[in-house]
PDB file of all heavy atoms in Angstrom:
ATOM      1  N   GLY A 186      56.976 -16.154  43.215  1.00  0.00           N
ATOM      2  CA  GLY A 186      57.431 -16.895  44.345  1.00  0.00           C
ATOM      3  C   GLY A 186      57.654 -18.375  44.096  1.00  0.00           C
ATOM      4  O   GLY A 186      56.970 -18.979  43.281  1.00  0.00           O
ATOM      5  N   ARG A 187      58.619 -18.923  44.798  1.00  0.00           N
ATOM      6  CA  ARG A 187      58.915 -20.379  44.668  1.00  0.00           C
ATOM      7  C   ARG A 187      58.678 -21.027  46.026  1.00  0.00           C
ATOM      8  O   ARG A 187      59.255 -20.624  47.043  1.00  0.00           O
ATOM      9  CB  ARG A 187      60.401 -20.521  44.184  1.00  0.00           C
ATOM     10  CG  ARG A 187      60.652 -19.990  42.783  1.00  0.00           C
ATOM     11  CD  ARG A 187      62.037 -20.255  42.297  1.00  0.00           C
ATOM     12  NE  ARG A 187      63.010 -19.483  43.019  1.00  0.00           N
ATOM     13  CZ  ARG A 187      64.367 -19.471  42.726  1.00  0.00           C
ATOM     14  NH1 ARG A 187      64.802 -20.156  41.717  1.00  0.00           N
ATOM     15  NH2 ARG A 187      65.179 -18.740  43.398  1.00  0.00           N
ATOM     16  N   GLY A 188      57.806 -22.070  46.102  1.00  0.00           N
ATOM     17  CA  GLY A 188      57.585 -22.684  47.293  1.00  0.00           C
ATOM     18  C   GLY A 188      56.658 -23.908  47.086  1.00  0.00           C
ATOM     19  O   GLY A 188      56.385 -24.368  46.021  1.00  0.00           O
ATOM     20  N   ALA A 189      56.189 -24.396  48.251  1.00  0.00           N
ATOM     21  CA  ALA A 189      55.253 -25.542  48.270  1.00  0.00           C
ATOM     22  C   ALA A 189      54.553 -25.600  49.590  1.00  0.00           C
ATOM     23  O   ALA A 189      54.957 -24.923  50.574  1.00  0.00           O
ATOM     24  CB  ALA A 189      55.925 -26.875  47.963  1.00  0.00           C
ATOM     25  N   GLN A 190      53.491 -26.370  49.680  1.00  0.00           N
ATOM     26  CA  GLN A 190      52.777 -26.537  50.963  1.00  0.00           C
ATOM     27  C   GLN A 190      52.527 -28.057  51.178  1.00  0.00           C
ATOM     28  O   GLN A 190      52.487 -28.801  50.169  1.00  0.00           O
ATOM     29  CB  GLN A 190      51.551 -25.732  50.993  1.00  0.00           C
ATOM     30  CG  GLN A 190      50.513 -26.122  49.977  1.00  0.00           C
ATOM     31  CD  GLN A 190      49.390 -25.161  49.896  1.00  0.00           C
ATOM     32  OE1 GLN A 190      49.536 -23.960  49.935  1.00  0.00           O
ATOM     33  NE2 GLN A 190      48.131 -25.721  49.812  1.00  0.00           N
ATOM     34  N   LYS A 191      52.266 -28.401  52.434  1.00  0.00           N
ATOM     35  CA  LYS A 191      52.024 -29.823  52.711  1.00  0.00           C
ATOM     36  C   LYS A 191      50.934 -29.944  53.705  1.00  0.00           C
ATOM     37  O   LYS A 191      50.899 -29.231  54.778  1.00  0.00           O
ATOM     38  CB  LYS A 191      53.327 -30.445  53.275  1.00  0.00           C
ATOM     39  CG  LYS A 191      53.177 -31.923  53.703  1.00  0.00           C
ATOM     40  CD  LYS A 191      54.405 -32.423  54.214  1.00  0.00           C
ATOM     41  CE  LYS A 191      54.316 -33.897  54.693  1.00  0.00           C
ATOM     42  NZ  LYS A 191      53.986 -34.826  53.619  1.00  0.00           N
ATOM     43  N   ALA A 192      49.998 -30.849  53.539  1.00  0.00           N
ATOM     44  CA  ALA A 192      48.997 -31.168  54.529  1.00  0.00           C
ATOM     45  C   ALA A 192      49.668 -31.850  55.682  1.00  0.00           C
ATOM     46  O   ALA A 192      50.400 -32.842  55.572  1.00  0.00           O
ATOM     47  CB  ALA A 192      47.907 -32.053  53.935  1.00  0.00           C
ATOM     48  N   LEU A 193      49.380 -31.349  56.908  1.00  0.00           N
ATOM     49  CA  LEU A 193      49.944 -31.925  58.112  1.00  0.00           C
ATOM     50  C   LEU A 193      48.870 -31.792  59.274  1.00  0.00           C
ATOM     51  O   LEU A 193      48.883 -30.818  59.997  1.00  0.00           O
ATOM     52  CB  LEU A 193      51.219 -31.167  58.518  1.00  0.00           C
ATOM     53  CG  LEU A 193      52.113 -31.819  59.549  1.00  0.00           C
ATOM     54  CD1 LEU A 193      52.674 -33.178  59.059  1.00  0.00           C
ATOM     55  CD2 LEU A 193      53.286 -30.927  59.941  1.00  0.00           C
ATOM     56  N   PRO A 194      48.010 -32.803  59.341  1.00  0.00           N
ATOM     57  CA  PRO A 194      46.861 -32.722  60.224  1.00  0.00           C
ATOM     58  C   PRO A 194      47.150 -32.586  61.721  1.00  0.00           C
ATOM     59  O   PRO A 194      46.384 -32.038  62.486  1.00  0.00           O
ATOM     60  CB  PRO A 194      46.081 -34.006  60.008  1.00  0.00           C
ATOM     61  CG  PRO A 194      46.470 -34.383  58.608  1.00  0.00           C
ATOM     62  CD  PRO A 194      47.907 -33.985  58.488  1.00  0.00           C
ATOM     63  N   THR A 195      48.398 -32.977  62.119  1.00  0.00           N
ATOM     64  CA  THR A 195      48.734 -32.901  63.544  1.00  0.00           C
ATOM     65  C   THR A 195      49.803 -31.801  63.791  1.00  0.00           C
ATOM     66  O   THR A 195      50.422 -31.831  64.835  1.00  0.00           O
ATOM     67  CB  THR A 195      49.276 -34.230  64.031  1.00  0.00           C
ATOM     68  OG1 THR A 195      50.397 -34.626  63.227  1.00  0.00           O
ATOM     69  CG2 THR A 195      48.218 -35.346  63.944  1.00  0.00           C
ATOM     70  N   ALA A 196      49.831 -30.777  62.925  1.00  0.00           N
ATOM     71  CA  ALA A 196      50.856 -29.738  63.130  1.00  0.00           C
ATOM     72  C   ALA A 196      50.696 -29.076  64.454  1.00  0.00           C
ATOM     73  O   ALA A 196      51.708 -28.574  65.070  1.00  0.00           O
ATOM     74  CB  ALA A 196      50.756 -28.755  62.001  1.00  0.00           C
ATOM     75  N   CYS A 197      49.444 -28.927  64.992  1.00  0.00           N
ATOM     76  CA  CYS A 197      49.228 -28.177  66.181  1.00  0.00           C
ATOM     77  C   CYS A 197      49.040 -29.069  67.426  1.00  0.00           C
ATOM     78  O   CYS A 197      48.862 -28.509  68.538  1.00  0.00           O
ATOM     79  CB  CYS A 197      48.028 -27.297  65.998  1.00  0.00           C
ATOM     80  SG  CYS A 197      48.179 -26.149  64.634  1.00  0.00           S
ATOM     81  N   SER A 198      49.058 -30.331  67.277  1.00  0.00           N
ATOM     82  CA  SER A 198      48.899 -31.260  68.370  1.00  0.00           C
ATOM     83  C   SER A 198      50.070 -32.162  68.658  1.00  0.00           C
ATOM     84  O   SER A 198      50.121 -32.857  69.683  1.00  0.00           O
ATOM     85  CB  SER A 198      47.621 -32.146  68.135  1.00  0.00           C
ATOM     86  OG  SER A 198      47.779 -32.918  66.941  1.00  0.00           O
TER      87      SER A 198
END
Side-chain angles (χ1 to χ4, degrees):
R187 296 183 290 186
Q190 62 188 45
K191 178 181 177 64
L193 193 63
T195 58
C197 303
S198 60

